[in-house]
Amino acid sequence: MKYSVYFLFTLLLLTACKPKVPKEYIQPGDMEDILYEYHLTQAMAKQAGGDQVEFNKTKYFTAVLKKHDVTQADFDSSLVYYYSHLERLKDIYTNVNERLDDDAKMLGASVGEINRYSQYSASGDTANIWKDRTELLLMPCPMMNRFDFTVKIDTTFHLGDSFMFQFVSEYIYQSGMKDALVCFVTKYEGDSIIQTTNHVSVSGLSQVRIPANRENKLKEMRGFIYLTDGNDHDVTVRRMMFISQMQLVRFHNNDKNEVSDGPRPTFHQTDSVKQISDDERKQLDSIRSKAFERLRNRPLPPPRRNIPDGMATRHHQSPQRR
C-alpha cells in the first residue's frame, strides 16, 4: 500500500511538471480553435466553387486569424513549434476532428461510410480487424513521412476473404503538391502476391480495396502510408497530413462454389484507392460550412498576449534527401 501511494504521488508530480507551451506561441486551446475554423472555411470555399476557390481559401483563413487576433507570423512560428512537439499537435488535431464530426452529426449527417463497420465483431463475416493506431500525423521530411504496419494473420481469416483499408485524411498545406502513397501487400501460400498501390492527393475519405484470392490461403499482410515532399525540400513551409479513423475491414466469402470454382486471380500492381465522389464530398463540405456560418457572428475573443507583428518564423536546416 505504501508503495502504491508513493507511485501515485510520483505520477502526479511528473504530470504537474509537464512543460507548458511557451507563452510566445499560440496555446493549445487557441490553436485548436483556429485549426477547427480553418477546416470549416476551407470547406466553405470549396462548396462555393468557381474560379476563385484558392483565393477564397486564403481570404477566409486570413479572416479566421484576424478573428483570433493572430498574425500570419504568429501562426507560422507557432506551427513550427508544434512541428517539433508532434504529440501536442496530434492531441490538438484529434480534438479538431471530433468537433467537426460532432458538427456534422448535430446538423443531421449520417454515421457515414467510415463508421458503418465498427459495429461488427472481429469473428463475424464482416469485421473491422484493424488493431494498430487509428490516428497518425505525417510531414514530408525524413523520420516523419512514413507509417509502416503489419496485420497479424490468425484462424479468423478464411480462404476467399477480401479486404478494404480506409481512413480520413486532412491536409494543411501552405504550398506545394499534396501527395501520399498508400501501399498494401498481401502474400499467399505458394508465394503469390497482390500489391495494391495508389496516391491520395485530397482531403476526405479514401478506401483501398484488396481483392479476394480464391485459390490460396493468406500468409502475410503488410503495407505503408508515405507522404512525399513533391520535390519541394523546404522544411520551413507549412505542410502536414493528419490521418484518422483508420480501419481494415475483412469480408468473408460464404459462397463455397465461388471459392472452389472461381477464376484464378491475376497478381499484379493495381490502382484501387477509391476517392469519395464530388457529390458526397460537397455534402460534407456543406455541413461544415453551415457550422462556420454560425461562427461568423460570434464576438471576437479577448486578446491573450502582445506579440510583435514582425515575429519571424523559425527556420530549420533542411535534412539530407533520402
Side-chain angles (χ1 to χ4, degrees), residues 263-313:
R264 189 175 186 86
T266 301
F267 303 105
H268 56 82
Q269 182 168 325
T270 59
D271 293 335
S272 303
V273 172
K274 175 189 175 185
Q275 296 294 340
I276 299 306
S277 67
D278 290 340
D279 290 340
E280 292 171 304
R281 183 172 293 110
K282 286 180 179 178
Q283 182 180 9
L284 178 58
D285 290 346
S286 176
I287 290 171
R288 292 184 174 179
S289 63
K290 288 179 181 177
F292 179 72
E293 290 293 338
R294 299 198 305 271
L295 296 172
R296 278 184 162 179
N297 297 324
R298 290 183 183 176
L300 290 174
R304 299 183 306 278
R305 62 195 184 283
N306 293 322
I307 300 179
D309 291 342
M311 178 183 291
T313 303

Side-chain angles (χ1 to χ4, degrees), residues 93-107:
Y93 245 104
T94 298
N95 294 336
V96 168
N97 194 61
E98 290 177 354
R99 290 172 65 178
L100 292 172
D101 286 344
D102 289 343
D103 280 340
K105 293 174 184 177
M106 184 177 62
L107 292 170

Side-chain angles (χ1 to χ4, degrees), residues 3 27 33-34 55 87 168 183 217 220 234 302 313 317:
Y3 293 105
Q27 296 302 297
D33 290 339
I34 292 173
F55 173 78
E87 284 304 313
V168 174
C183 178
K217 291 184 177 180
E220 180 182 337
D234 185 359
T313 303
Q317 183 176 0

Side-chain angles (χ1 to χ4, degrees), residues 36-177:
Y36 164 67
E37 294 178 24
Y38 164 83
H39 285 292
L40 291 177
T41 57
Q42 301 306 288
M44 187 173 68
K46 287 191 293 184
Q47 184 193 22
D51 298 330
Q52 294 186 313
V53 172
E54 294 303 321
F55 173 78
N56 287 333
K57 285 182 179 180
T58 301
K59 182 177 69 174
Y60 293 160
F61 184 49
T62 301
V64 170
L65 295 180
K66 184 177 180 180
K67 171 185 173 181
H68 289 273
D69 193 26
V70 171
T71 67
Q72 185 73 54
D74 293 343
F75 181 78
D76 288 340
S77 61
S78 296
L79 201 55
V80 169
Y81 167 80
Y82 284 107
Y83 271 1
S84 59
H85 298 78
L86 289 182
E87 284 304 313
R88 292 185 186 273
L89 189 56
K90 176 181 173 294
D91 291 342
I92 290 173
Y93 245 104
T94 298
N95 294 336
V96 168
N97 194 61
E98 290 177 354
R99 290 172 65 178
L100 292 172
D101 286 344
D102 289 343
D103 280 340
K105 293 174 184 177
M106 184 177 62
L107 292 170
S110 62
V111 174
E113 184 76 14
I114 194 67
N115 292 319
R116 62 180 296 191
Y117 302 104
S118 300
Q119 59 183 313
Y120 298 106
S121 66
S123 58
D125 290 340
T126 301
N128 173 26
I129 59 172
W130 185 255
K131 299 184 183 303
D132 211 320
R133 59 195 299 183
T134 59
E135 295 177 342
L136 178 67
L137 182 66
L138 297 177
M139 295 191 300
C141 53
M143 306 303 293
M144 292 185 290
N145 58 358
R146 177 165 169 152
F147 170 65
D148 291 86
F149 57 84
T150 301
V151 179
K152 183 179 179 180
I153 309 302
D154 55 32
T155 56
T156 62
F157 288 72
H158 297 170
L159 182 67
D161 284 347
S162 59
F163 304 88
M164 179 176 68
F165 182 56
Q166 63 180 8
F167 55 86
V168 174
S169 60
E170 292 285 353
Y171 280 101
I172 177 167
Y173 267 49
Q174 184 178 15
S175 63
M177 182 177 66

